Amino acid sequence: MSLKPLGNRVILKVKKEEEKVVGGIVLPETAKTNQNEGEIIAVGTGKYHGEILVPIPVQVGDKVIYKEYSSSSIDLDEEGTYVIMDADDILAIKE
Amino acid sequence: MSLKPLGNRVILKVKKEEEKVVGGIVLPETAKTNQNEGEIIAVGTGKYHGEILVPIPVQVGDKVIYKEYSSSSIDLDEEGTYVIMDADDILAIKE
Amino acid sequence: MSLKPLGNRVILKVKKEEEKVVGGIVLPETAKTNQNEGEIIAVGTGKYHGEILVPIPVQVGDKVIYKEYSSSSIDLDEEGTYVIMDADDILAIKE
Amino acid sequence: MSLKPLGNRVILKVKKEEEKVVGGIVLPETAKTNQNEGEIIAVGTGKYHGEILVPIPVQVGDKVIYKEYSSSSIDLDEEGTYVIMDADDILAIKE
Amino acid sequence: MSLKPLGNRVILKVKKEEEKVVGGIVLPETAKTNQNEGEIIAVGTGKYHGEILVPIPVQVGDKVIYKEYSSSSIDLDEEGTYVIMDADDILAIKE
Amino acid sequence: MSLKPLGNRVILKVKKEEEKVVGGIVLPETAKTNQNEGEIIAVGTGKYHGEILVPIPVQVGDKVIYKEYSSSSIDLDEEGTYVIMDADDILAIKE
Amino acid sequence: MSLKPLGNRVILKVKKEEEKVVGGIVLPETAKTNQNEGEIIAVGTGKYHGEILVPIPVQVGDKVIYKEYSSSSIDLDEEGTYVIMDADDILAIKE
């Protein structure tokens, strides 16, 4: 069984704090990002701009950082391992 | 006699807590979703984006999870078994 | 003499509580809807989406349920038998 | 000398309470409308929807009912006999 | 030296209270308008509706009434004889 | 080195109070404008209306008056001699 | 590893206070800008105006000044050396 997010939503698997790897183009190796990290598990259809449906700019498997305390974020399980949120609250993709 | 929702509204039959089956693509079997589950009973015509009417992306019979305490949700009976709500508050389809 | 609602407004004759018949596609016969019921008496021209005038999706004679305590609802007589309201606050048509 | 309202505004001559005639398609003769009544004295050019100017849907001479305590209503004289208001606050035309 | 208002703004010369002449199509001669009166001194280019620039519907020399305590109104001199305001706060032209 | 404002912003050199020359088409010579005066130093690309980029209607060298206490105004130096602000808060050009 | 900002976001390397060089087309050499300075490290895809995606008007390597206390600014590391923010809060490019 699986969940297919609707509209501009994505489902994320949250990265546990202890596993967090420091990174980023420009970040020195001792820096730690304050933002939450996660992996994209499922992606909705996108968002309308005027009459055009613009796809969500992330894909399943992408590692992303997202807004801490995003108001659009909703836990899907009791441990908060899986969350569904608005794709606009994804800040950046780690490459 | 039946109810035909107007605009971007859907009618849901709420799943009782005791019948709730745990599921989701990525959720371990012991996880429980915090979100309400239901089955789509009736679907309105959709929502305008600019001048285009975009149909509601769920169909009668779909099992869905929806926002708990959605402000658009209105009980249709005293037991709260049937609710009418804005389709934008449907988070995802269970497949 | 008659009243012709302007824009996206409709005029409803409110159904008295004691006459209310329980119904709906999916509602068991013992359920009572929490929503107000009424009959459409007159219909305005509709609402603009962009530059397109979209007609109101109900017709004179339709039995409808509408939002209780809708902020757009205005009594037309002292008994509150007739009300004028925004068509967006009509939730569903009883068929 | 006369006043030509600008944009989506109309000028109304307010009907005095004692002259108010009960009416409306569906209203029993003993009912009294709670809404203010008036006669349209002058009409502006209308309102833009997107790039289209939509004319005001009432004409000079129309008898109308309008929102009581409309926030757009401005008295033009000390007795409050003449008011200028946004045409969107005209609820219905009496025919 | 002169001032050219930008956008949807106009410059008005405020009519002093004692010079105010009672008038208007429908106003009895004893009525006094509660609104401020003024003469248009300069006119901006107008306001965009979508992608169309709509000119301001008043001209230099027009006598107008305008919203008292308009939040867009800004005094240009210490006596408050000249004001610059949003053209949307001009209610009507005296003809 | 120079600053190029982005979007709908302009950079102004604020006119000192003691140098302020009274003026305006219609202002008597004894009047003082309550508004701040300045000279345009740099101009951004403009503002989108729908999908059209509309250039800022002032040019480098223009003498302008602007909204006092504009919420968009940001000092660029400690003396407040240079400010960057939204072009919509420029009220008028002195000609 | 690198970070690719989504949508209308940019990543900035904040300039430390002690290294700040005073500058600007019109600023006297003794003036100090009150605004934060930084260097653009990464740039998102841009922002929709209607149905058109407008690219962000800065490039990697640009020295910029940005709004102090911008509500869109989010620290990426504990020292606050790297921030991600909405490109609309970039005020100007230093050239």
Side-chain angles (χ1 to χ4, degrees), chain F residues 34-86:
Chain F
N34 289 333
Q35 295 307 305
N36 291 320
E37 301 186 26
E39 182 179 343
I40 301 290
I41 298 295
V43 178
T45 49
K47 182 179 179 174
Y48 278 86
H49 291 274
E51 297 172 356
I52 290 178
L53 179 61
V54 178
I56 293 176
V58 296
Q59 296 183 310
V60 172
D62 280 352
K63 307 284 189 294
V64 299
I65 59 172
Y66 59 94
K67 250 194 212 167
E68 211 174 17
Y69 310 119
S70 154
S71 64
S72 78
S73 173
I74 297 175
D75 286 353
L76 288 177
D77 56 356
E78 284 174 2
E79 293 73 26
T81 309
Y82 296 94
V83 296
I84 188 166
M85 66 168 62
D86 194 298

Short mmCIF file of all heavy atoms in Angstrom, two decimals, chain F residues 34-86:
data_model
loop_
_atom_site.label_atom_id
_atom_site.label_comp_id
_atom_site.label_asym_id
_atom_site.label_seq_id
_atom_site.Cartn_x
_atom_site.Cartn_y
_atom_site.Cartn_z
N ASN F 34 4.98 69.07 3.29
CA ASN F 34 5.26 68.19 4.42
C ASN F 34 6.06 66.97 3.99
O ASN F 34 6.48 66.19 4.82
CB ASN F 34 3.96 67.70 5.06
CG ASN F 34 3.26 68.81 5.81
OD1 ASN F 34 3.90 69.74 6.27
ND2 ASN F 34 1.95 68.69 5.93
N GLN F 35 6.19 66.80 2.71
CA GLN F 35 6.82 65.57 2.24
C GLN F 35 8.32 65.74 2.08
O GLN F 35 8.83 66.82 1.86
CB GLN F 35 6.21 65.14 0.90
CG GLN F 35 4.77 64.76 1.05
CD GLN F 35 4.58 63.73 2.14
OE1 GLN F 35 5.21 62.68 2.11
NE2 GLN F 35 3.77 64.02 3.13
N ASN F 36 9.00 64.63 2.18
CA ASN F 36 10.43 64.64 1.97
C ASN F 36 10.76 64.81 0.50
O ASN F 36 10.01 64.35 -0.36
CB ASN F 36 11.03 63.33 2.47
CG ASN F 36 10.95 63.24 3.98
OD1 ASN F 36 11.17 64.23 4.68
ND2 ASN F 36 10.62 62.06 4.48
N GLU F 37 11.88 65.46 0.24
CA GLU F 37 12.32 65.63 -1.12
C GLU F 37 13.64 64.92 -1.33
O GLU F 37 14.42 64.75 -0.39
CB GLU F 37 12.48 67.11 -1.46
CG GLU F 37 11.20 67.90 -1.29
CD GLU F 37 11.35 69.34 -1.76
OE1 GLU F 37 12.22 69.62 -2.63
OE2 GLU F 37 10.62 70.18 -1.23
N GLY F 38 13.89 64.53 -2.54
CA GLY F 38 15.15 63.87 -2.82
C GLY F 38 15.44 63.86 -4.30
O GLY F 38 14.62 64.28 -5.11
N GLU F 39 16.64 63.35 -4.64
CA GLU F 39 17.03 63.24 -6.03
C GLU F 39 17.31 61.77 -6.33
O GLU F 39 17.96 61.08 -5.55
CB GLU F 39 18.30 64.07 -6.29
CG GLU F 39 18.74 64.04 -7.74
CD GLU F 39 19.99 64.89 -7.99
OE1 GLU F 39 20.31 65.74 -7.14
OE2 GLU F 39 20.64 64.66 -9.03
N ILE F 40 16.80 61.34 -7.48
CA ILE F 40 16.97 59.93 -7.85
C ILE F 40 18.42 59.69 -8.27
O ILE F 40 18.95 60.39 -9.13
CB ILE F 40 16.03 59.55 -9.01
CG1 ILE F 40 14.57 59.78 -8.62
CG2 ILE F 40 16.26 58.10 -9.44
CD1 ILE F 40 14.02 58.84 -7.58
N ILE F 41 19.05 58.68 -7.65
CA ILE F 41 20.45 58.37 -7.88
C ILE F 41 20.60 57.11 -8.75
O ILE F 41 21.52 56.96 -9.54
CB ILE F 41 21.17 58.15 -6.53
CG1 ILE F 41 21.12 59.42 -5.68
CG2 ILE F 41 22.59 57.66 -6.71
CD1 ILE F 41 21.89 60.58 -6.29
N ALA F 42 19.67 56.15 -8.52
CA ALA F 42 19.73 54.90 -9.28
C ALA F 42 18.34 54.29 -9.32
O ALA F 42 17.53 54.52 -8.41
CB ALA F 42 20.71 53.92 -8.64
N VAL F 43 18.06 53.52 -10.37
CA VAL F 43 16.71 53.04 -10.63
C VAL F 43 16.77 51.55 -10.99
O VAL F 43 17.62 51.14 -11.79
CB VAL F 43 16.08 53.83 -11.79
CG1 VAL F 43 14.69 53.31 -12.13
CG2 VAL F 43 16.03 55.32 -11.48
N GLY F 44 15.87 50.74 -10.39
CA GLY F 44 15.80 49.31 -10.71
C GLY F 44 15.10 49.05 -12.03
O GLY F 44 14.84 49.98 -12.82
N THR F 45 14.79 47.79 -12.28
CA THR F 45 14.23 47.43 -13.59
C THR F 45 12.72 47.63 -13.69
O THR F 45 12.19 47.75 -14.79
CB THR F 45 14.52 45.95 -13.89
OG1 THR F 45 14.14 45.16 -12.77
CG2 THR F 45 15.99 45.74 -14.19
N GLY F 46 12.03 47.66 -12.56
CA GLY F 46 10.60 47.89 -12.61
C GLY F 46 9.81 46.79 -11.92
O GLY F 46 10.34 46.00 -11.16
N LYS F 47 8.51 46.73 -12.24
CA LYS F 47 7.56 45.90 -11.50
C LYS F 47 6.67 45.15 -12.49
O LYS F 47 6.27 45.72 -13.51
CB LYS F 47 6.71 46.85 -10.64
CG LYS F 47 5.69 46.20 -9.76
CD LYS F 47 4.97 47.29 -8.98
CE LYS F 47 3.92 46.73 -8.09
NZ LYS F 47 3.34 47.81 -7.24
N TYR F 48 6.38 43.89 -12.17
CA TYR F 48 5.52 43.12 -13.05
C TYR F 48 4.04 43.42 -12.79
O TYR F 48 3.60 43.44 -11.64
CB TYR F 48 5.78 41.62 -12.87
CG TYR F 48 6.98 41.17 -13.66
CD1 TYR F 48 8.25 41.26 -13.13
CD2 TYR F 48 6.83 40.69 -14.96
CE1 TYR F 48 9.36 40.88 -13.88
CE2 TYR F 48 7.94 40.31 -15.71
CZ TYR F 48 9.21 40.40 -15.16
OH TYR F 48 10.29 40.03 -15.90
N HIS F 49 3.33 43.67 -13.87
CA HIS F 49 1.87 43.71 -13.83
C HIS F 49 1.43 42.57 -14.71
O HIS F 49 1.61 42.64 -15.93
CB HIS F 49 1.32 45.04 -14.31
CG HIS F 49 1.61 46.17 -13.38
ND1 HIS F 49 0.81 46.49 -12.31
CD2 HIS F 49 2.65 47.03 -13.33
CE1 HIS F 49 1.33 47.51 -11.65
NE2 HIS F 49 2.44 47.87 -12.25
N GLY F 50 0.88 41.50 -14.10
CA GLY F 50 0.66 40.30 -14.87
C GLY F 50 2.01 39.81 -15.36
O GLY F 50 2.93 39.61 -14.58
N GLU F 51 2.18 39.68 -16.66
CA GLU F 51 3.44 39.16 -17.19
C GLU F 51 4.28 40.24 -17.85
O GLU F 51 5.25 39.95 -18.54
CB GLU F 51 3.13 38.02 -18.18
CG GLU F 51 2.44 36.86 -17.46
CD GLU F 51 1.92 35.78 -18.39
OE1 GLU F 51 2.04 35.95 -19.63
OE2 GLU F 51 1.41 34.76 -17.90
N ILE F 52 3.90 41.50 -17.64
CA ILE F 52 4.61 42.62 -18.26
C ILE F 52 5.44 43.36 -17.23
O ILE F 52 4.95 43.70 -16.15
CB ILE F 52 3.60 43.58 -18.92
CG1 ILE F 52 2.98 42.91 -20.15
CG2 ILE F 52 4.27 44.88 -19.28
CD1 ILE F 52 1.95 43.77 -20.82
N LEU F 53 6.69 43.60 -17.57
CA LEU F 53 7.57 44.36 -16.69
C LEU F 53 7.40 45.84 -17.01
O LEU F 53 7.75 46.29 -18.10
CB LEU F 53 9.03 43.94 -16.90
CG LEU F 53 10.07 44.68 -16.06
CD1 LEU F 53 9.83 44.49 -14.58
CD2 LEU F 53 11.48 44.27 -16.43
N VAL F 54 6.87 46.59 -16.07
CA VAL F 54 6.63 48.01 -16.28
C VAL F 54 7.78 48.79 -15.65
O VAL F 54 8.03 48.67 -14.45
CB VAL F 54 5.29 48.44 -15.64
CG1 VAL F 54 5.06 49.93 -15.81
CG2 VAL F 54 4.14 47.64 -16.24
N PRO F 55 8.50 49.58 -16.47
CA PRO F 55 9.65 50.33 -15.94
C PRO F 55 9.23 51.34 -14.87
O PRO F 55 8.08 51.80 -14.84
CB PRO F 55 10.20 51.06 -17.17
CG PRO F 55 9.62 50.37 -18.35
CD PRO F 55 8.30 49.80 -17.90
N ILE F 56 10.15 51.67 -14.00
CA ILE F 56 9.92 52.69 -12.97
C ILE F 56 9.80 54.05 -13.65
O ILE F 56 10.63 54.39 -14.50
CB ILE F 56 11.09 52.66 -11.96
CG1 ILE F 56 11.05 51.33 -11.19
CG2 ILE F 56 11.03 53.85 -11.03
CD1 ILE F 56 12.21 51.12 -10.24
N PRO F 57 8.75 54.83 -13.29
CA PRO F 57 8.49 56.08 -14.03
C PRO F 57 9.32 57.28 -13.58
O PRO F 57 8.86 58.40 -13.73
CB PRO F 57 7.00 56.30 -13.78
CG PRO F 57 6.75 55.68 -12.44
CD PRO F 57 7.70 54.53 -12.32
N VAL F 58 10.48 57.05 -13.00
CA VAL F 58 11.38 58.18 -12.71
C VAL F 58 12.75 57.85 -13.29
O VAL F 58 13.07 56.70 -13.57
CB VAL F 58 11.51 58.46 -11.20
CG1 VAL F 58 10.18 58.89 -10.60
CG2 VAL F 58 12.06 57.25 -10.45
N GLN F 59 13.56 58.89 -13.45
CA GLN F 59 14.89 58.71 -14.02
C GLN F 59 15.95 59.29 -13.09
O GLN F 59 15.66 60.14 -12.24
CB GLN F 59 14.96 59.42 -15.38
CG GLN F 59 14.02 58.80 -16.41
CD GLN F 59 14.16 59.47 -17.76
OE1 GLN F 59 14.13 60.70 -17.85
NE2 GLN F 59 14.33 58.68 -18.81
N VAL F 60 17.18 58.84 -13.31
CA VAL F 60 18.29 59.39 -12.53
C VAL F 60 18.33 60.91 -12.74
O VAL F 60 18.22 61.38 -13.86
CB VAL F 60 19.63 58.75 -12.94
CG1 VAL F 60 20.81 59.46 -12.28
CG2 VAL F 60 19.62 57.27 -12.59
N GLY F 61 18.40 61.64 -11.65
CA GLY F 61 18.45 63.10 -11.73
C GLY F 61 17.12 63.76 -11.42
O GLY F 61 17.07 64.95 -11.10
N ASP F 62 16.04 63.00 -11.50
CA ASP F 62 14.72 63.57 -11.18
C ASP F 62 14.67 64.02 -9.72
O ASP F 62 15.16 63.31 -8.82
CB ASP F 62 13.60 62.53 -11.40
CG ASP F 62 13.20 62.38 -12.86
OD1 ASP F 62 13.67 63.18 -13.70
OD2 ASP F 62 12.40 61.47 -13.16
N LYS F 63 14.09 65.19 -9.51
CA LYS F 63 13.78 65.64 -8.16
C LYS F 63 12.37 65.14 -7.82
O LYS F 63 11.44 65.35 -8.59
CB LYS F 63 13.80 67.17 -8.06
CG LYS F 63 15.08 67.81 -8.59
CD LYS F 63 16.21 67.65 -7.62
CE LYS F 63 17.41 68.49 -8.05
NZ LYS F 63 18.03 68.03 -9.33
N VAL F 64 12.24 64.48 -6.71
CA VAL F 64 10.94 63.88 -6.37
C VAL F 64 10.55 64.21 -4.93
O VAL F 64 11.39 64.59 -4.11
CB VAL F 64 10.99 62.34 -6.52
CG1 VAL F 64 11.30 61.96 -7.95
CG2 VAL F 64 11.99 61.73 -5.56
N ILE F 65 9.25 64.06 -4.64
CA ILE F 65 8.83 64.03 -3.25
C ILE F 65 8.37 62.60 -2.98
O ILE F 65 7.85 61.91 -3.85
CB ILE F 65 7.73 65.06 -2.91
CG1 ILE F 65 6.48 64.84 -3.75
CG2 ILE F 65 8.25 66.48 -3.09
CD1 ILE F 65 5.30 65.70 -3.31
N TYR F 66 8.57 62.15 -1.75
CA TYR F 66 8.26 60.76 -1.42
C TYR F 66 7.59 60.68 -0.06
O TYR F 66 7.65 61.63 0.73
CB TYR F 66 9.53 59.90 -1.46
CG TYR F 66 10.64 60.31 -0.54
CD1 TYR F 66 10.76 59.74 0.72
CD2 TYR F 66 11.57 61.27 -0.92
CE1 TYR F 66 11.79 60.12 1.57
CE2 TYR F 66 12.59 61.65 -0.08
CZ TYR F 66 12.69 61.08 1.17
OH TYR F 66 13.70 61.48 2.01
N LYS F 67 6.97 59.58 0.18
CA LYS F 67 6.20 59.37 1.41
C LYS F 67 7.09 59.43 2.63
O LYS F 67 8.08 58.70 2.74
CB LYS F 67 5.59 57.97 1.41
CG LYS F 67 4.11 57.93 1.25
CD LYS F 67 3.61 56.55 1.59
CE LYS F 67 2.38 56.21 0.77
NZ LYS F 67 2.04 54.80 0.86
N GLU F 68 6.72 60.29 3.54
CA GLU F 68 7.42 60.35 4.82
C GLU F 68 7.11 59.07 5.57
O GLU F 68 6.00 58.56 5.53
CB GLU F 68 6.91 61.56 5.60
CG GLU F 68 7.95 62.17 6.49
CD GLU F 68 7.40 63.45 7.12
OE1 GLU F 68 6.17 63.66 7.10
OE2 GLU F 68 8.22 64.22 7.60
N TYR F 69 8.08 58.55 6.28
CA TYR F 69 7.89 57.32 7.05
C TYR F 69 7.42 56.16 6.18
O TYR F 69 6.64 55.31 6.61
CB TYR F 69 6.89 57.52 8.20
CG TYR F 69 7.19 58.73 9.04
CD1 TYR F 69 6.28 59.77 9.14
CD2 TYR F 69 8.40 58.84 9.71
CE1 TYR F 69 6.55 60.88 9.90
CE2 TYR F 69 8.68 59.96 10.48
CZ TYR F 69 7.75 60.97 10.57
OH TYR F 69 8.03 62.08 11.32
N SER F 70 7.83 56.14 4.91
CA SER F 70 7.52 55.00 4.05
C SER F 70 8.09 53.73 4.67
O SER F 70 9.25 53.68 5.05
CB SER F 70 8.16 55.22 2.67
OG SER F 70 8.40 53.97 2.05
N SER F 71 7.26 52.70 4.75
CA SER F 71 7.74 51.46 5.38
C SER F 71 8.75 50.75 4.50
O SER F 71 9.50 49.90 4.96
CB SER F 71 6.57 50.53 5.66
OG SER F 71 5.99 50.14 4.43
N SER F 72 8.82 51.11 3.22
CA SER F 72 9.78 50.44 2.34
C SER F 72 11.15 51.10 2.35
O SER F 72 12.09 50.59 1.76
CB SER F 72 9.24 50.40 0.90
OG SER F 72 9.42 51.66 0.27
N SER F 73 11.26 52.25 3.02
CA SER F 73 12.50 53.03 2.98
C SER F 73 13.56 52.46 3.93
O SER F 73 13.29 52.19 5.09
CB SER F 73 12.21 54.48 3.36
OG SER F 73 13.40 55.21 3.47
N ILE F 74 14.76 52.26 3.42
CA ILE F 74 15.88 51.72 4.20
C ILE F 74 17.09 52.62 4.02
O ILE F 74 17.48 52.92 2.90
CB ILE F 74 16.22 50.29 3.71
CG1 ILE F 74 15.02 49.34 3.93
CG2 ILE F 74 17.46 49.76 4.41
CD1 ILE F 74 15.25 47.95 3.37
N ASP F 75 17.66 53.05 5.16
CA ASP F 75 18.85 53.90 5.09
C ASP F 75 20.04 53.11 4.57
O ASP F 75 20.24 51.96 4.94
CB ASP F 75 19.21 54.43 6.49
CG ASP F 75 18.24 55.51 6.94
OD1 ASP F 75 17.39 55.94 6.14
OD2 ASP F 75 18.33 55.90 8.12
N LEU F 76 20.84 53.74 3.72
CA LEU F 76 22.03 53.08 3.20
C LEU F 76 23.29 53.54 3.91
O LEU F 76 24.34 52.90 3.82
CB LEU F 76 22.18 53.34 1.69
CG LEU F 76 21.16 52.60 0.82
CD1 LEU F 76 21.35 52.99 -0.64
CD2 LEU F 76 21.33 51.09 0.97
N ASP F 77 23.20 54.65 4.64
CA ASP F 77 24.37 55.10 5.41
C ASP F 77 23.89 55.59 6.77
O ASP F 77 22.69 55.71 7.02
CB ASP F 77 25.12 56.21 4.65
CG ASP F 77 24.23 57.39 4.31
OD1 ASP F 77 23.02 57.34 4.59
OD2 ASP F 77 24.73 58.37 3.75
N GLU F 78 24.83 55.87 7.65
CA GLU F 78 24.44 56.21 9.01
C GLU F 78 23.78 57.57 9.11
O GLU F 78 22.97 57.81 10.00
CB GLU F 78 25.66 56.10 9.94
CG GLU F 78 25.99 54.65 10.24
CD GLU F 78 27.27 54.50 11.03
OE1 GLU F 78 27.88 55.53 11.38
OE2 GLU F 78 27.67 53.36 11.30
N GLU F 79 24.13 58.47 8.21
CA GLU F 79 23.55 59.82 8.24
C GLU F 79 22.15 59.82 7.60
O GLU F 79 21.45 60.83 7.65
CB GLU F 79 24.45 60.81 7.49
CG GLU F 79 25.78 61.05 8.17
CD GLU F 79 26.73 59.87 8.04
OE1 GLU F 79 26.57 59.11 7.06
OE2 GLU F 79 27.59 59.69 8.91
N GLY F 80 21.76 58.74 6.97
CA GLY F 80 20.46 58.73 6.30
C GLY F 80 20.42 59.62 5.08
O GLY F 80 19.37 60.12 4.69
N THR F 81 21.58 59.87 4.49
CA THR F 81 21.65 60.71 3.29
C THR F 81 21.16 59.95 2.07
O THR F 81 20.56 60.51 1.17
CB THR F 81 23.10 61.19 3.05
OG1 THR F 81 23.58 61.75 4.26
CG2 THR F 81 23.16 62.21 1.93
N TYR F 82 21.44 58.67 2.05
CA TYR F 82 21.03 57.83 0.92
C TYR F 82 20.06 56.77 1.40
O TYR F 82 20.30 56.11 2.42
CB TYR F 82 22.26 57.18 0.28
CG TYR F 82 23.18 58.21 -0.30
CD1 TYR F 82 24.25 58.70 0.43
CD2 TYR F 82 22.95 58.71 -1.58
CE1 TYR F 82 25.08 59.68 -0.09
CE2 TYR F 82 23.77 59.69 -2.11
CZ TYR F 82 24.83 60.19 -1.36
OH TYR F 82 25.64 61.16 -1.87
N VAL F 83 18.96 56.64 0.70
CA VAL F 83 17.97 55.62 1.06
C VAL F 83 17.61 54.83 -0.19
O VAL F 83 17.66 55.33 -1.32
CB VAL F 83 16.69 56.22 1.68
CG1 VAL F 83 16.99 56.91 3.00
CG2 VAL F 83 16.01 57.19 0.71
N ILE F 84 17.23 53.56 0.05
CA ILE F 84 16.69 52.74 -1.02
C ILE F 84 15.25 52.48 -0.65
O ILE F 84 14.93 52.23 0.52
CB ILE F 84 17.51 51.43 -1.20
CG1 ILE F 84 17.09 50.66 -2.44
CG2 ILE F 84 17.49 50.56 0.03
CD1 ILE F 84 18.07 49.56 -2.86
N MET F 85 14.32 52.61 -1.61
CA MET F 85 12.91 52.42 -1.28
C MET F 85 12.15 51.89 -2.49
O MET F 85 12.66 51.92 -3.62
CB MET F 85 12.27 53.72 -0.80
CG MET F 85 12.16 54.82 -1.83
SD MET F 85 11.09 56.18 -1.25
CE MET F 85 12.00 56.74 0.18
N ASP F 86 10.94 51.44 -2.24
CA ASP F 86 10.08 50.98 -3.31
C ASP F 86 9.61 52.18 -4.13
O ASP F 86 9.16 53.19 -3.57
CB ASP F 86 8.87 50.25 -2.71
CG ASP F 86 8.11 49.46 -3.75
OD1 ASP F 86 7.58 50.10 -4.69
OD2 ASP F 86 8.06 48.24 -3.66
#
